Amino acid sequence: MRLRNLVVTFILVVGCSAEEAPPSTLSFTPDRFRAHVAFLADDLLEGRDTGSRGYDIAARYVASQFDSFGLKPGGTDGSWYQQVPLQRTTRGTERGTVTISGPAGERRFTHADNVLVRPSSREAELDVEAPLVFVGYGIEDQRLGLNDYQGLDVKGCFVAALSGYPKGLPSEEGAHVSAINAKVAQEHGAIGVFELSTLQFEKVFPWDRMLQYSSDPKFDWVEPNDKAHAEAPLIRAGGFLNAPAAETLFAGAERSFADVRQEADQEKGAPRGFALKTRIRVQSEARWERVTSPNVVAILPGNDPVLAKEYIVLSAHLDHLGIKEVPGAKADDDRIYNGAMDNGAGIATLLEVARAAAQATDKPRRSMIFLATTAEEKGLIGADYYAHFPTVPIGQIVGNVDLDMPLLTYEFTDLVAFGANHSTVAKYVEQALSTMNVALSPDPMPEQGIFTRSDHYQFVRQGVPAVFLITGYANGGEKAWGEFEGGVYHSPRDDMSQKFDWKAGAKFAEANYRITRALADSPTPPLWYEGDYFGDVFASKAARAQR
Ligand SMILES: [Zn+2]
């Protein structure tokens, strides 16, 4: 799971119905599941960081497993791999400064002192100064009835935008519109974007936790023209301002930052933007290196002469955070981020579903792609690269099931299916789970903005209906998630010393197998629902289903 930064309170409601199971000879065992996770989370793999030897060994393991199941290589040039060209951007000796000047004088913040300056992937020595405009949440979306740029001229300016989205917006739509705020700013002619911490944001991602990632390099995939890919290439600079720095931006303005933040914390609170009286200067140095790291891809051809041209992609990220400093740790403390749950558990699920599908006596009708991605923790980059340069035509990819960090420390009795209710995928998920006596629950943590935080989102952006399941809050799940999020997630403690319930792993694999098979065997491919927001935004020409 990737760290992201979004906020809201809305609950998705999905019902359950009972239908019959797909026939199969299923054999999901706790031992096999454990064996995969134990290998992937071993210290020998050093946390599987993108571009590292440990990651490459993990990739070789996955390819070798695919091979043993009798799958076909699905990478480039007949190999198991799709090499992803990456640019790694690190800070130079000038780590980054933000100077704010205006009616209250001048204040300079260095990187990690209440500001985070994003190192530039396109300008090695950046020095840019411009006036500032506050743009509320910086959202412009007709369907959601939001236009934060109305009446504002931001040409040549930096925009200051609240992180997240107004309380009360559906969490998945909200997570999406918030994730594209730089693109919207660029369309209005802005040259920089600073996100401002909200009260809600502080609760979910306290500043200490933001700091934990402040020295991490930034990754982008490299375009065929050899430039680092950017969603908003005309946005030259940006970053994040913690409250004390954000307050100085509002010196002499018509409203204080505290006032604006209070309004934003109300239900549906969406403060209107206005020009600020301050200017901002951003200086930073960046160093770039080229790195290559593979996605691992396997194909299981479908056995239906017509449907075999269509593909269901089952994806899971293989990378994790590698070896790095742990805040507050002593010299001899563990520094290996093994990523047993995140995402050894997801890869184990991917491998088990691949094995079961390849060995099933009743072969899937559609073809299946099994995709282990790189650089997910760097911003869903391996999956974005695959979705831009798929090894089969993107129009033939009709559905995606993503696997990321199911929590397997308790006997789960419910699952949460992010994204399912936008398309007929919901129906297949309900059917598959009802045969296993597993309930389907609404998103229990909408404030986490999970929908844009894993690889399936990159398929959604290419118009492909997708779903991503995690274990739910029932039967001890809420407590288990609380403990995991409260200090294990993205720490060296996410290792094999956790109290895994390996039976839960086998059961999770079976659930995902049944869902994937239902998608692969259905006479019609998954369809976006009529009037669905994501279908309208990303697949406006695709066939629809009635809800
Ligand atoms: Zn993660």
Side-chain angles (χ1 to χ4, degrees):
M1 174 72 57
R2 179 200 178 200
L3 182 87
R4 261 297 279 171
N5 46 6
L6 304 157
V7 195
V8 138
T9 50
F10 184 84
I11 303 236
L12 305 170
V13 182
V14 186
C16 285
S17 72
E19 302 229 359
E20 88 284 11
S24 195
T25 45
L26 300 176
S27 60
F28 296 95
T29 70
D31 289 350
R32 242 191 319 251
F33 197 96
R34 186 192 59 231
H36 294 310
V37 180
F39 182 89
L40 295 165
D42 197 284
D43 279 355
L44 285 169
L45 270 64
E46 301 184 334
R48 306 186 308 275
D49 199 10
T50 297
S52 72
R53 176 177 151 88
Y55 177 88
D56 289 346
I57 294 169
R60 189 68 194 88
Y61 177 79
V62 170
S64 197
Q65 292 289 322
F66 285 159
D67 198 357
S68 77
F69 306 150
L71 300 173
K72 280 178 39 184
T76 43
D77 305 324
S79 79
W80 296 104
Y81 301 129
Q82 176 188 49
Q83 296 294 343
V84 180
L86 298 164
Q87 174 172 295
R88 175 162 52 201
T89 304
T90 48
R91 288 167 205 287
T93 38
E94 171 65 91
R95 283 163 53 80
T97 59
V98 170
T99 309
I100 298 162
S101 55
E106 192 174 284
R107 264 197 82 180
R108 193 175 149 96
F109 297 88
T110 49
H111 175 73
D113 162 26
N114 284 308
V115 307
L116 298 176
V117 182
R118 190 178 315 113
S120 173
S121 57
R122 298 202 164 202
E123 293 180 65
E125 294 196 9
L126 181 82
D127 186 352
V128 52
E129 185 182 3
L132 276 157
V133 179
F134 171 62
V135 294
Y137 281 102
I139 296 171
E140 184 180 59
D141 193 296
Q142 271 186 4
R143 288 175 190 85
L144 300 175
L146 294 168
N147 188 356
D148 286 340
Y149 283 83
Q150 194 162 32
L152 297 177
D153 180 7
V154 304
K155 264 190 212 72
C157 296
F158 272 78
V159 300
L162 297 164
S163 56
Y165 50 91
K167 285 186 173 180
L169 217 60
S171 68
E172 300 188 338
E173 284 84 340
H176 164 69
V177 288
S178 173
I180 61 167
N181 69 4
K183 222 168 157 176
V184 175
Q186 171 176 291
E187 280 160 20
H188 286 273
I191 59 163
V193 177
F194 272 94
E195 280 190 42
L196 312 178
S197 177
T198 59
L199 293 167
Q200 176 75 6
F201 185 89
E202 276 177 7
K203 272 185 230 150
V204 184
F205 297 105
W207 176 244
D208 280 357
R209 183 141 165 225
M210 302 287 287
L211 274 186
Q212 216 181 313
Y213 299 87
S214 65
S215 306
D216 291 357
K218 176 175 173 283
F219 283 74
D220 303 282
W221 55 265
V222 176
E223 294 177 349
N225 68 9
D226 210 37
K227 277 204 169 142
H229 174 72
E231 290 291 321
L234 303 179
I235 297 298
R236 293 177 58 197
F240 180 85
L241 301 182
N242 195 26
E247 275 157 19
T248 62
L249 291 188
F250 286 72
E254 55 191 72
R255 293 178 70 186
S256 70
F257 178 59
D259 194 25
V260 160
R261 262 212 323 179
Q262 281 302 336
E263 185 188 343
D265 208 43
Q266 308 303 310
E267 190 67 14
K268 296 203 169 136
R272 286 186 60 100
F274 47 86
L276 295 167
K277 302 272 196 283
T278 45
R279 294 175 69 82
I280 199 162
R281 181 178 181 188
V282 181
Q283 293 161 285
S284 69
E285 282 176 22
R287 300 209 174 109
W288 305 321
E289 279 168 274
R290 291 299 154 94
V291 183
T292 303
S293 183
N295 289 327
V296 191
V297 198
I299 290 179
L300 177 65
N303 81 342
D304 181 287
V306 179
L307 297 183
K309 290 187 202 74
E310 296 178 345
Y311 295 83
I312 302 294
V313 174
L314 189 70
S315 57
H317 77 88
L318 180 58
D319 66 305
H320 195 55
L321 300 170
I323 299 176
K324 60 177 201 160
E325 290 309 321
V326 183
K330 293 190 229 53
D332 57 348
D333 281 351
D334 184 9
R335 294 192 306 136
I336 301 176
Y337 288 66
N338 304 79
M341 213 69 77
D342 183 12
N343 189 26
I347 291 287
T349 309
L350 175 85
L351 292 173
E352 279 302 278
V353 174
R355 182 188 58 76
Q359 295 172 355
T361 46
D362 56 320
K363 292 278 179 276
R365 298 176 71 193
R366 286 192 179 75
S367 299
M368 288 185 180
I369 291 175
F370 300 98
L371 172 65
T373 62
T374 187
E376 189 271 352
E377 302 285 10
K378 315 298 186 194
L380 322 184
I381 292 172
D384 193 38
Y385 188 81
Y386 188 85
H388 277 79
F389 303 98
T391 53
V392 303
I394 190 76
Q396 287 170 234
I397 296 178
V398 298
N400 168 232
V401 178
D402 188 48
L403 306 158
D404 191 1
M405 208 174 81
L407 188 57
L408 302 174
T409 54
Y410 62 103
E411 195 185 334
F412 71 87
T413 57
D414 68 325
L415 290 169
V416 178
F418 296 99
N421 70 341
H422 298 289
S423 69
T424 56
V425 168
K427 201 175 67 184
Y428 303 112
V429 171
E430 282 167 28
Q431 285 171 11
L433 297 191
S434 66
T435 62
M436 291 178 67
N437 223 353
V438 171
L440 192 54
S441 297
D443 183 353
M445 45 184 114
E447 73 288 348
Q448 291 273 350
I450 300 280
F451 189 61
T452 61
R453 284 175 52 192
S454 189
D455 286 340
H456 61 283
Y457 180 55
Q458 304 296 19
F459 286 97
V460 169
R461 295 206 309 162
Q462 301 299 328
V464 178
V467 65
F468 155 50
L469 288 101
I470 60 169
T471 46
Y473 271 19
N475 203 34
E478 182 165 9
K479 184 163 170 276
W481 275 106
E483 284 166 6
F484 185 76
E485 294 281 349
V488 181
Y489 168 74
H490 281 200
S491 88
R493 293 172 58 204
D494 180 7
D495 61 14
M496 288 297 281
S497 69
Q498 293 169 94
K499 278 207 201 108
F500 273 93
D501 178 342
W502 298 111
K503 284 202 302 291
K507 185 168 156 187
F508 188 72
E510 180 181 340
N512 280 282
Y513 175 75
R514 288 181 181 277
I515 292 165
T516 312
R517 281 300 305 260
L519 297 175
D521 296 339
S522 163
T524 48
L527 297 173
W528 295 102
Y529 283 132
E530 195 75 57
D532 178 74
Y533 176 87
F534 291 98
D536 287 353
V537 171
F538 296 117
S540 57
K541 298 195 186 83
R544 298 307 172 89
Q546 292 298 324
R547 195 177 280 272

